[in-house]
Amino acid sequence: MVIGVTATTALVAVGAAAALLAVALALVLARSYRRARDDGRRLDGIVRQLEEARDEARRNRLLADLDGLTGLHNRRYFHELLAREVARAQRYGRELALVVFDLDDFKSINDGLGHLAGDAVLAETAERARGVLRSADIACRVGGDEFAVLLPEASGREAELLYRRLQRAVSSRPVAEAGDVSVSAGIAELQADDEPNTFFERADQALYRAKERGKGQVVRAPGRSAPSDATRRPGTASSQ
């Protein structure tokens, strides 16, 4: 009888100990779960903060690349892009064309109507330019009323066609308070020995030659694929 009671008591004690152990384990697991949950929440918060910081950095970078007036890419971005595209085109033997254009008689618009009216003309010109670009083309404002469009994998002829579209878009209807406005342009095709700066300078010099010839003019910088004045087709850009 004593042995039976002792055995029963022992079993009860073991059961109680097991129950206490289970409770203790449950408490430990619960605390561990709460800590893991809290750690997970803290980790989620950190991840959200990092994502927000990344997105903010992207927005700031984008804003730093844009011209505040026209919404086009700015001069700094243009020269960074130009260096990358020149290197890529020369590495893979691809075509690359550049159009540099400005508004004819823009100074008279600023002087006669004021700088706010001039700004409105620049902004509207940029908007019309966006409407005639190919999806691969990148337009930038490089200073004052001067703009540049980089055309990856495009020839001088394709760049000239872009200029013609741009000219029609700008001159077909009045631009802000300025009324009738025209643009002149210089075009360059990338040459094997071009550096980014010489590529841009050739297009810029072609623009200078176009301005000498009057309003609404386009000149293509000399190059291996630019036709001479004697052989070029009517209505196409002449070389310098």
Side-chain angles (χ1 to χ4, degrees), residues 7-228:
T8 300
T9 303
L11 289 173
V12 170
V14 169
L20 290 173
L21 181 60
V23 170
L25 182 59
L27 291 173
V28 169
L29 290 174
R31 282 194 291 268
S32 298
Y33 170 77
R34 285 194 295 272
R35 283 197 298 269
R37 182 186 60 192
D38 293 342
D39 289 344
R41 288 173 178 172
R42 283 193 292 270
L43 182 59
D44 288 343
I46 292 171
V47 169
R48 282 195 298 270
Q49 290 174 359
L50 290 174
E51 289 175 344
E52 290 170 0
R54 179 199 61 197
D55 293 342
E56 182 68 19
R58 287 176 177 172
R59 285 192 293 269
N60 291 338
R61 173 65 182 181
L62 179 61
L63 291 174
D65 290 341
L66 296 180
D67 174 61
L69 175 63
T70 64
L72 299 178
H73 291 294
N74 57 26
R75 181 181 182 88
R76 182 189 61 79
Y77 179 87
F78 168 73
H79 285 289
E80 291 178 356
L81 175 71
L82 183 66
R84 291 197 302 269
E85 289 297 326
V86 166
R88 187 183 70 87
Q90 290 178 334
R91 182 181 304 119
Y92 298 109
R94 304 288 178 80
E95 289 184 308
L96 182 65
L98 175 63
V99 178
V100 177
F101 70 91
D102 70 7
L103 301 176
D104 296 322
D105 295 332
F106 181 71
K107 186 177 184 301
S108 65
I109 296 173
N110 261 344
D111 293 344
L113 299 176
H115 290 284
L116 289 179
D119 287 351
V121 170
L122 291 174
E124 189 166 339
T125 298
E127 184 62 28
R128 295 188 190 186
R130 271 190 288 265
V132 300
L133 299 178
R134 305 176 309 161
S135 60
D137 300 337
I138 306 99
C140 306
R141 183 186 179 199
V142 294
D145 65 322
E146 187 168 283
F147 300 83
V149 182
L150 201 58
L151 295 84
E153 301 191 29
S155 65
R157 177 61 180 161
E158 290 171 301
E160 185 185 335
L161 292 174
L162 169 64
Y163 164 75
R164 300 296 179 192
R165 295 196 303 272
L166 173 64
Q167 178 70 290
R168 285 193 298 270
V170 172
S171 63
S172 61
R173 63 186 191 277
V175 180
E177 297 179 41
D180 294 337
V181 174
S182 61
V183 298
S184 292
I187 293 171
E189 294 173 281
L190 184 67
Q191 305 296 297
D193 58 349
D194 265 329
E195 298 288 339
N197 62 321
T198 61
F199 185 34
F200 177 76
E201 286 168 3
R202 290 195 302 108
D204 203 41
Q205 284 298 310
L207 170 61
Y208 178 78
R209 300 299 181 202
K211 303 290 283 187
E212 288 182 330
R213 298 181 181 185
K215 300 178 183 179
Q217 300 294 310
V218 58
V219 168
R220 201 189 304 182
R224 60 180 180 271
S225 58
S228 67

